[in-house]
Amino acid sequence: MKKTFLSLIIIFYTTICFAGGHITKEDKEKAIKCLGHYTSISFIPANEIEAIRLEYALASYKIVREYLLNEKVKSDEINKGTNKELDKLIGKPFNEERNDRCNSFIYDLIPNSKNQIEELRGTLE
């Protein structure tokens, strides 16, 4: 009985110590793809996109990246995934549908992110 109890404590402790945050692999991958999307917006020529869209993209990028780092996702993994997605999107026009999907996903994934993005967007100059 003591061995079983001790084994359970060790498994529980190991799980807590080595857990990489609370984000699922699928959510992490989607969030990183959205980072690539948000980054690609900054490469759209200024005469082809409204400034407010760029402000939202930059603010969203910052909030999502911060969230991923807080969830123990390594910076290298974030950068590689973002660049991989950016390579697919760079040079393409603004995609309203994709932007809406990313925004909805991020708002659901990160508590209070919509307000955080709105506040941060207002400070970007």
Side-chain angles (χ1 to χ4, degrees), residues 85-120:
E85 194 64 18
L86 176 61
D87 287 344
K88 295 176 191 175
L89 300 173
I90 200 160
K92 294 186 179 176
F94 181 76
N95 184 328
E96 182 95 35
E97 182 181 328
R98 181 182 177 109
N99 196 63
D100 289 347
R101 281 195 317 265
C102 274
N103 290 344
S104 293
F105 171 72
I106 296 306
Y107 298 158
D108 288 342
L109 178 67
I110 305 171
N112 198 35
S113 58
K114 187 172 186 173
N115 291 334
Q116 292 174 3
I117 290 166
E118 183 65 38
E119 287 175 18
L120 183 58

Side-chain angles (χ1 to χ4, degrees), residues 39-90:
T39 304
S40 72
I41 292 171
S42 67
F43 288 93
I44 298 174
N47 63 338
E48 295 178 19
I49 190 162
E50 298 171 14
I52 195 166
R53 292 197 185 276
L54 179 58
E55 290 175 3
Y56 272 105
L58 294 172
S60 297
Y61 178 88
K62 181 171 175 43
I63 297 299
V64 175
R65 184 173 175 82
E66 243 176 60
Y67 172 79
L68 290 171
L69 291 171
N70 286 335
E71 288 294 315
K72 311 289 189 256
V73 179
K74 294 183 182 195
S75 188
D76 284 348
E77 183 179 2
I78 295 169
N79 294 341
K80 285 179 186 176
T82 299
N83 289 338
K84 183 178 177 182
E85 194 64 18
L86 176 61
D87 287 344
K88 295 176 191 175
L89 300 173
I90 200 160

